[in-house]
Amino acid sequence: MKTEMHAFVDGDAGPCGAILRHLEPDSLRTRTVFKMGDEAPVYLVDHVVEHDGDVRRWTRFAYDSPTSASQHSGTRDGDGVVLLDGAPAPHLTGAVGAYGEHLVLAQMLLDGVDTVSYVQFDEGEPEAGADEAELHRRGPETTELLDGSTVHAERVQVVLAGRHTNTHWSVDGVIVKSDWCGAESFLIDDVDALCEGLDPDVVAQIREFVRR
């Protein structure tokens, strides 16, 4: 199992949480946790997706957000038939959950292709349907990292339903920075450095996930 840690940074609050991933050949487990300000609640989402080596052929997902009291699960059989919370969901046939974007992007970089198209849905609101998604390599550029240093990285633009959304920067196929429509995340390899200055409840959620 490979663990990735990314510091989550809000423009107003600064470093306030993390995006954490456990990656295995047939699954991706993700925890997003942050707290934007002293009076704000801790935002927490746990997500897992299982697949056969390609997330576009996922077999199961589970989404749990205690903050928003949102919880969903889905299964997909070999014919692409999807059950959402136990009920048929034909609108999700052929679609990939948004948390799978990380794996689609990783495969795109590994394959060395310039554009990937697929259909994506939001696991927090899967009943809302799915949208056309595209990933486009935009070439190398200089971008600033969390510590103020700069790096020459390849930019990948996400286009969802015809609108520019997330942007990712990669170095040698590794995502070092992402822009989530305003908030940003940065690859970090030390859990103590990641937790420094964060809310104690956020720190507890980070350390619990990393220990798994």
Side-chain angles (χ1 to χ4, degrees):
M1 181 180 69
K2 177 183 178 183
T3 298
E4 292 183 358
M5 302 182 297
H6 293 251
F8 188 80
V9 180
D10 176 70
D12 296 325
C16 57
I19 301 174
L20 310 166
R21 299 183 180 97
H22 288 323
L23 297 108
E24 299 195 61
D26 58 358
S27 68
L28 168 65
R29 187 175 298 275
T30 307
R31 172 169 289 179
T32 303
V33 58
F34 57 81
K35 184 176 182 181
M36 294 184 180
D38 293 340
E39 303 304 316
V42 173
Y43 177 87
L44 176 66
V45 172
D46 278 322
H47 178 272
V48 62
V49 59
E50 297 173 357
H51 54 85
D52 69 355
D54 185 337
V55 73
R56 285 167 287 195
R57 295 190 298 269
W58 62 273
T59 56
R60 184 184 77 88
F61 86 86
Y63 173 98
D64 184 17
S65 175
T67 311
S68 58
S70 177
Q71 191 173 49
H72 296 285
S73 63
T75 60
R76 179 181 179 274
D77 69 17
D79 294 327
V81 176
V82 176
L83 295 181
L84 173 63
D85 300 327
H91 63 288
L92 298 184
T93 298
V96 177
Y99 275 80
E101 179 183 301
H102 185 74
L103 295 179
V104 176
L105 174 57
Q107 189 63 51
M108 173 188 178
L109 295 172
L110 181 64
D111 292 343
V113 298
D114 292 332
T115 299
V116 169
S117 300
Y118 63 106
V119 181
Q120 180 176 291
F121 69 94
D122 180 352
E123 294 97 327
E125 297 180 311
E127 67 283 352
D131 293 305
E132 297 291 331
E134 297 176 342
L135 305 183
H136 296 279
R137 293 165 75 129
R138 299 303 193 193
E141 64 182 26
T142 299
T143 189
E144 185 174 335
L145 299 180
L146 184 59
D147 62 2
S149 65
T150 58
V151 64
H152 203 54
E154 183 166 29
R155 179 166 63 94
V156 178
Q157 179 68 58
V158 181
V159 180
L160 184 63
R163 303 185 308 274
H164 286 196
T165 57
N166 306 331
T167 307
H168 306 286
W169 288 265
S170 72
V171 176
D172 297 330
V174 176
I175 304 304
V176 297
K177 175 182 176 179
S178 297
D179 184 314
W180 307 97
C181 301
E184 296 179 318
S185 61
F186 301 84
L187 183 67
I188 191 166
D189 60 5
D190 183 272
V191 68
D192 292 329
L194 173 62
C195 292
E196 185 175 354
L198 299 182
D199 179 88
D201 290 336
V202 172
V203 171
Q205 293 288 349
I206 291 172
R207 293 193 180 278
E208 189 275 333
F209 185 90
V210 172
R211 284 196 301 266
R212 289 184 182 180

